Amino acid sequence: MSKKHKNESFSFFVEQFADLKILRYQVPEFEDLSLNQKKLIYYLSEAALYGRDIIYDQNFKYNLTIRRLLESIIKNNKGHIEDDEWQEFMIYTKRIWFSNGIHHHYSTDKFIPGFSKDFFLDLIQQIPENNWPVDLSKDEVIQKIIPIIFDPEKYPKRVCQDQSKDMIKQSANNFYENVTQREAESFYQEMINPTDDEPVSYGLNSKLIKENGKIKEEIWKVGGMYDKAITKIVYWLEKATEVAENKKQKESLQKLIDFYQSGDLKKFDEYSILWLSDTESFIDTVNGFIEIYEDPLGRKATWEALVNFKDDKATRRTDILSQNAQWFEDHSPVDSKYKKTKVQGVSAKVINVAMLGGDCYPATPIGINLPNAEWIRKKHGSKSVTIENITYAYHKDSLKSGLLEEFSFSDKEIELHKKHGFLANNLHTDLHECLGHGSGQLMPGISTDLLKNYYSPIEETRADLFALWFMMDPKLIDLGIMPTFDVAVAQYNSYIKNGLITQLTRIEPGKNIEQAHMRNRQLIAKWCFEKGHDENIIEKIIKEGKTYFIINHHAKLRELFGKLLAEIQRIKSEGDFEAAKYLIENYGVKVDKDLHDEVLQRFKKLNLAPYSGFVNPQYLPVYENDEIVDIMIDYTQDYPVQMMKYAEKYSVLPDFN
Ligand code: ZN
């Protein structure tokens, strides 16, 4: 246990409601940073928080209106505090804050309030006329917004992935307007030049709309859509350039500013390459339109931000992995024609986050590998991080939950997890992010668009399998980053258990699996369960009415991981849509109803929330004669207080954009 984790009195838990738990992360050793470093973190943090409204608007056109109504009601509330309906109102509002909108952050289903329409009407009436918070009039809110909130039929899903439907029309998110899926597909098809081997990410930073019969893009940039938020982001990024650690970092931040000012996707690629090449800086940020999971066509990127700094000690682990990237590529169990002959600069580090924003807040990833553009990854490599202060908070919290005891078959399994679970998970993330996503290559003329909505889960499956395969390789022991195979055994146990059982706690009764990472985990676990049946590699045991899956042959399971990895890599490299569809639909999507019911019942008894997110710390500058002389970190804000503060300070966009 390193120095930073000594503060055992730190309280990770904040609160729990609905299916959500709020935790707090610690920023180890922030106090020991130099003033310049603290300033850089502070400026980048402001840039991370000013994009908050963007993600709300991207998720759904009416999210900002609804959020502002709710926040105004909270501000103006007098005397409802004890009320049951008021409690329900707060839960609804807290869920919206958590999901950055009215649809569940994970399932993307709209959630319905636990209070009545009349109660809400009453609250609306109490908002003072002279302080009316939204552009729509009170009458318009009653006519238009109330049905959106209460009617389950209206905008039921943020992201529709049902191939049999027009996925664009059926998705409530705000990436397309008045265009059909076919129109959107052909719009971009025409843009793409198949002979261009350095294509920009077409459509990444815009909304596609049809107006007067003409289809066009509204670009997200200074002076374009989202102008007011992006202008603020640029302001704080400019401040950050003044305290940049070195020339490279400064250049890369300036290029990002250029991109925000011009909206030119070529500049975004140039920025990504500069950002990639900056491996020396201690502090780093992700800030932009990055991930494409929310667009059924896989083009439009949600806005996200994350500020972080390096954990030097833990980074030794990822340094060793990336120095050996070529060895891993050469020894992966995939066909040699799909392998990179020369793995480009995979840079990996372990970081601690200092601020989360946009789509990374409050629900955050535990690892990131960027950039996403395939040609950049191939030519310039990728940068990958494992976020250790977040995984540490999860680990600390998980030991208290009872989940481990409920779903583990034996004491030995529990012991192994307690002893090695933290390292096992981190190593898995390192391998997934730093080597997995960066591995392999596409055949000439093949692009990842060919897999359409199956691309994300296939890509995640590939990275997970890469991690699982190498997790049990003696190489990790030789390299000195894994002390014993027990770490791998612990990871296999928890991976299979999660893929077949525990992640079902996140699915509502009667629903299927939609989220890319969950599809990928079930695909792997279920496929291996089926293929290993004859040799009893994974065994299903029912004891006292409870189902368990245990692994009888870890080494044989590894062989199955390798076999599946070879097939998944082939699918990606060849752009084999039908094969991707077959695997995902047959193994990743459908849920065994009886098992699901049982798992939900067992889970309910534990009174746990299946999803977690985090409040941010606050950075409080200390001024002397208008000069910042120090920056203090504060962890005392609770969840609603933080949200109301953010609403006050970072609410910069109009209701409709
Ligand atoms: Zn991934």
Side-chain angles (χ1 to χ4, degrees), residues 290-359:
I290 309 286
E291 298 293 358
I292 50 169
Y293 304 116
E294 298 295 310
D295 175 6
L297 301 189
R299 294 202 173 279
K300 311 287 172 195
T302 48
W303 190 87
E304 70 178 32
L306 194 142
V307 183
N308 64 76
F309 57 90
K310 214 188 260 185
D311 183 327
D312 283 317
K313 204 173 151 200
T315 294
R316 203 188 70 91
R317 212 172 60 213
T318 53
D319 277 347
I320 293 173
L321 286 180
S322 37
Q323 281 154 17
N324 289 279
Q326 190 67 52
W327 186 93
F328 285 96
E329 184 75 3
D330 295 344
H331 290 80
S332 93
V334 313
D335 193 311
S336 55
K337 66 176 181 264
Y338 306 135
K339 288 183 187 179
K340 285 195 174 91
T341 44
K342 196 169 176 298
V343 178
Q344 285 291 343
V346 178
S347 86
K349 58 187 176 179
V350 178
I351 58 163
N352 291 304
V353 289
M355 187 57 69
L356 302 166
D359 209 15

Side-chain angles (χ1 to χ4, degrees), residues 432-433 437 460 463 517:
H432 172 116
E433 299 293 348
H437 279 306
E460 294 310 326
H517 294 85

Side-chain angles (χ1 to χ4, degrees), residues 407 413 428 465 468 488-504 520-530 537-540 548-554 557-558 560-561 595:
F407 293 102
E413 205 180 312
H428 179 96
L465 285 166
L468 290 163
V489 170
Q491 187 59 15
Y492 280 20
N493 290 345
S494 71
Y495 195 92
I496 294 299
K497 191 168 57 189
N498 188 29
L500 291 173
I501 296 198
T502 25
Q503 74 166 6
L504 293 177
N520 115 55
R521 289 183 211 119
Q522 179 171 298
L523 189 171
I524 293 173
K526 219 170 170 175
W527 189 91
C528 290
F529 176 60
E530 187 188 294
I537 295 175
I538 300 171
E539 186 176 356
K540 181 178 180 178
Y548 303 89
F549 288 91
I550 60 161
I551 302 167
N552 290 321
H553 305 285
H554 289 81
L557 178 57
R558 181 182 186 224
L560 290 178
F561 288 148
L595 178 62

Side-chain angles (χ1 to χ4, degrees), residues 22-45:
I22 307 290
L23 300 171
R24 195 189 304 279
Y25 61 89
Q26 219 174 346
V27 186
E29 291 162 14
F30 176 81
E31 292 84 352
D32 302 339
L33 302 180
S34 72
L35 178 59
N36 226 45
Q37 290 173 323
K38 287 180 182 172
K39 278 186 182 170
L40 181 54
I41 287 177
Y42 171 63
Y43 296 151
L44 292 172
S45 293

